[in-house]
Amino acid sequence: MTLPERLALDMGLDIPDFDRDGYYGADYGTMKPYHRVGSLLFLSGHVAQIGAEITHKGRLGQNVTIEQGYQAARRTGLNVLGGIRQAVGSLDRVKGIVRSLNFVVCTPEFEEVHKVSSGLSDLFVEVFGPERGLGGRATIGVMALANGVCFETWVTVEVE
């Protein structure tokens, strides 16, 4: 079995180091980056951001395409991987993605929110494999998110 840390390295993924650089979520208000209860890890919201730069702003169905939204969700997934590392030290400690709750900023007529969230889910499957990387998922279309981001997720992970 290929370990997720080795796979992420082989894939050349740009996973942030929140221990070194700090969790960007602190800029969004009073919160902590994660909370662990037994083997469950609850990550605070993650968005498509590199350092202080938001990589994908806008609204699906207006000025953001499905492919751009998919890439926003994938970038968000890289930040989630950074959050997992910050919380438990290694991606190898992940037993499974339990669920993700995803928010897509979109027009009222936009009905393809599920296609956007697949950017996140696909990344998790690539890194952890289908057995551990594919969890439950819900995606909700919303009118706005902080700082104009087009995608945000809240993830629960089972860890060793």
Side-chain angles (χ1 to χ4, degrees):
M1 179 171 76
T2 305
L3 296 175
E5 284 290 344
R6 180 81 207 151
L7 206 55
L9 183 65
D10 292 346
M11 293 170 63
L13 297 179
D14 179 27
I15 301 173
D17 183 342
F18 293 137
D19 282 332
R20 182 190 66 216
D21 302 329
Y23 168 59
Y24 61 84
D27 296 337
Y28 289 89
T30 306
M31 71 176 88
K32 60 183 180 178
Y34 60 86
H35 185 80
R36 185 169 175 180
V37 178
S39 64
L40 290 180
L41 175 64
F42 299 89
L43 295 170
S44 288
H46 284 277
V47 298
Q49 187 166 328
I50 299 173
E53 178 190 352
I54 296 168
T55 61
H56 296 82
K57 286 187 173 191
R59 184 176 307 279
L60 278 288
Q62 180 178 326
N63 58 356
V64 178
T65 67
I66 292 173
E67 178 56 32
Q68 290 168 326
Y70 180 96
Q71 291 304 320
R74 188 171 176 88
R75 174 70 246 176
T76 300
L78 293 171
N79 290 336
V80 169
L81 297 177
I84 293 169
R85 276 187 181 161
Q86 180 185 30
V88 298
S90 173
L91 301 178
D92 296 341
R93 298 194 60 205
V94 171
K95 293 174 81 174
I97 301 296
V98 176
R99 69 174 184 150
S100 67
L101 178 57
N102 306 298
F103 304 93
V104 176
V105 176
C106 61
T107 63
E109 301 78 25
F110 186 78
E111 297 179 349
E112 307 293 328
V113 293
H114 59 289
K115 292 181 179 178
V116 173
S117 289
S118 289
L120 178 78
S121 301
D122 290 349
L123 177 66
F124 290 163
V125 169
E126 290 169 24
V127 172
F128 299 112
E131 187 64 30
R132 291 190 290 170
L134 193 57
R137 181 179 94 183
T139 304
I140 300 167
V142 298
M143 292 306 297
L145 291 169
N147 294 329
V149 300
C150 70
F151 183 85
E152 183 170 355
T153 191
W154 187 63
V155 179
T156 305
V157 183
E158 183 182 11
V159 296
E160 295 177 345

